[in-house]
Amino acid sequence: MNILQEVEEFINEFNHSNNEYFSIDSIRVEFQKQHKLEELKRLGKWCKIEKNSPLLSKLRKRLLKNEITSVWRLEKENIYYYNMQDAPKYRKATLVIFGMKQYHKPTPQRELISKVLQVMKDVSSVDICLDLPYKPNLEALKRHFTLTPYITNNGVITDTRYINDTGVLMLDTIIFYDKAQKNSLKGILWRIEAKINIPNFRALMLPLYEFKQITNIARINR
């Protein structure tokens, strides 16, 4: 079984047992370039994203700004790796595969994702998402968590909200946002997305039950 299948099966078993609809949207892997980079380059053409590229600006919103030095993209896929500033001589990098659960454009090729993860032989974190045909009950969530709004560079407070402290080990952050608006989709579609850290992939554990408890609050009165 490959890594992608293993993570998907873990989630699918939980979904089946709990009548849930969690999906993977993103996968991250921290790696040492001297051990993996040569193999990665055999998978296709990697292009450096220029500093003035609008794509880099979008990536900085998804990633921690201070972590990024240079970013390389695998052909036209949403598969990237970026060098990390805190690593000596930029030896450490993070590979990111995102946009795996989309409605407005093709997702990264499944076969290519499997090949990339076969090289990596590890997963550092995943983003697990749940899509809803209505706005989450943010007022109910406020009674249990601190919700932080996303503020644009122009100072505009958006409808997007974060839980930066979930109180759950491995459940790093949760974001609630209007996906229909973000991707110019018809109708109403909100996404709840959790970043889950994976300390040891070989002993895979994901706090999906704890994530479900939070999504259940967001679905109160529905």
Side-chain angles (χ1 to χ4, degrees):
M1 181 186 299
N2 64 36
I3 287 178
L4 181 58
Q5 286 177 323
E6 189 168 344
V7 178
E8 285 179 331
E9 284 202 4
F10 190 104
I11 296 169
N12 290 338
E13 287 180 11
F14 179 87
N15 286 343
H16 180 74
S17 300
N18 295 274
N19 192 30
E20 198 51 90
Y21 300 92
F22 293 156
S23 302
I24 302 172
D25 183 69
S26 303
I27 295 174
R28 300 176 193 81
V29 189
E30 295 182 3
F31 67 99
Q32 298 290 336
K33 291 195 295 182
Q34 65 267 36
H35 301 308
K36 302 292 184 180
L37 195 52
E38 186 175 340
E39 288 184 79
L40 280 178
K41 288 182 177 179
R42 296 193 191 110
L43 297 179
K45 184 178 180 181
W46 293 83
C47 299
K48 187 176 182 179
I49 298 178
E50 300 299 328
K51 291 184 178 180
N52 60 352
S53 169
L55 184 59
L56 184 57
S57 176
K58 291 181 180 179
L59 282 174
R60 288 185 184 278
K61 291 180 181 179
R62 298 184 63 97
L63 306 172
L64 295 176
K65 294 182 180 180
N66 294 333
E67 284 188 345
I68 299 176
T69 56
S70 57
V71 183
W72 297 76
R73 180 181 186 180
L74 180 55
E75 298 175 346
K76 295 182 179 181
E77 301 286 347
N78 279 341
I79 302 177
Y80 306 80
Y81 75 84
Y82 60 93
N83 298 320
M84 299 178 67
Q85 290 182 348
D86 59 352
K89 298 183 179 179
Y90 302 129
R91 291 177 182 173
K92 190 175 182 180
T94 298
L95 180 124
V96 185
I97 305 167
F98 64 81
M100 295 172 63
K101 177 69 173 181
Q102 296 295 337
Y103 303 92
H104 65 300
K105 62 181 179 180
T107 59
Q109 300 175 39
R110 182 180 178 83
E111 182 180 356
L112 183 57
I113 293 173
S114 295
K115 287 181 179 178
V116 169
L117 294 178
Q118 188 175 2
V119 171
M120 294 289 98
K121 296 182 174 60
D122 198 6
V123 172
S124 302
S125 68
V126 293
D127 286 352
I128 305 295
C129 65
L130 173 69
D131 292 337
L132 302 175
Y134 52 84
K135 184 175 180 177
N137 191 333
L138 300 179
E139 291 302 316
L141 287 162
K142 283 181 183 178
R143 293 194 285 268
H144 301 272
F145 303 97
T146 299
L147 298 185
T148 302
Y150 173 73
I151 303 175
T152 68
N153 293 334
N154 296 326
V156 177
I157 300 176
T158 68
D159 288 335
T160 299
R161 294 292 184 273
Y162 291 87
I163 297 177
N164 291 315
D165 182 4
T166 68
V168 178
L169 189 66
M170 295 170 57
L171 190 53
D172 193 5
T173 58
I174 300 177
I175 180 174
F176 305 81
Y177 66 94
D178 187 340
K179 187 161 180 63
Q181 182 183 64
K182 180 181 178 181
N183 297 143
S184 301
L185 304 174
K186 294 181 179 180
I188 300 173
L189 185 69
W190 277 73
R191 173 163 289 188
I192 306 174
E193 189 168 293
K195 180 181 178 182
I196 298 177
N197 292 315
I198 302 177
N200 183 1
F201 179 76
R202 289 157 188 79
L204 182 61
M205 292 294 294
L206 300 174
L208 299 183
Y209 179 75
E210 291 80 0
F211 182 36
K212 178 178 172 61
Q213 289 181 309
I214 296 173
T215 61
N216 283 346
I217 297 173
R219 289 180 281 193
I220 286 177
N221 298 330
R222 290 287 177 172

